[in-house]
Amino acid sequence: QVQLVESGGGLVQAGDSLRLSCAASGRTFSSRAMGWFRQASGKERELIATIRWSGGSTYYADSVKGRFTISRDNAKNTVSLQMNSLKPEDTAVYFCAAGRQGRLLTRSGDVDYWGQGTQVTVSS
């Protein structure tokens, strides 16, 4: 069992930066790909960034590429999302997600565990 707890959401202005963190419990963190999804009001949940268990390979959705950076610290069981140059369209609930052990994380169907979500609101 893995529990994921996000932190760092809030209300910011367009152009500001925000850093989300996700703390994971359990001893299987380092064998799981991790990702961040977001869900805006009235829209489907979308995958925006993933990082493999070693941290050597990352993926970003086009909508956040060049502005967001995902990273992980396997010694601390944490994964972070640095968000720069935030836009109003980044407003959403952001979810931390853990993939199945040893498997890629490419869509919501690959998620083994979800965090509870943290709200990010970007005002114009």
Side-chain angles (χ1 to χ4, degrees):
Q1 186 79 4
V2 174
Q3 289 187 321
L4 304 174
V5 179
E6 300 104 333
S7 61
L11 171 63
V12 297
Q13 293 187 328
D16 284 352
S17 297
L18 207 57
R19 186 176 182 87
L20 304 182
S21 295
C22 174
S25 66
R27 293 179 287 181
T28 62
F29 178 81
S30 62
S31 65
R32 299 178 183 271
M34 298 295 296
W36 288 93
F37 290 71
R38 68 184 181 187
Q39 187 166 19
S41 180
K43 295 188 177 181
E44 291 187 355
R45 192 171 298 189
E46 65 168 331
L47 175 63
I48 57 171
T50 66
I51 187 166
R52 290 200 186 182
W53 37 90
S54 65
S57 180
T58 57
Y59 158 84
Y60 297 96
D62 287 343
S63 57
V64 306
K65 197 175 295 182
R67 299 187 298 122
F68 291 12
T69 303
I70 188 171
S71 61
R72 68 188 294 162
D73 186 335
N74 286 344
K76 296 181 178 179
N77 277 19
T78 59
V79 60
S80 299
L81 185 69
Q82 177 66 40
M83 305 185 294
N84 298 329
S85 303
L86 283 162
K87 305 175 182 180
E89 51 263 44
D90 293 319
T91 296
V93 178
Y94 284 70
F95 297 90
C96 177
R100 297 183 178 90
Q101 286 184 266
R103 305 289 295 272
L104 296 178
L105 175 55
T106 64
R107 56 188 178 88
S108 59
D110 295 328
V111 175
D112 219 4
Y113 299 97
W114 292 97
Q116 82 285 356
T118 185
Q119 177 70 46
V120 173
T121 303
V122 184
S123 64
S124 57

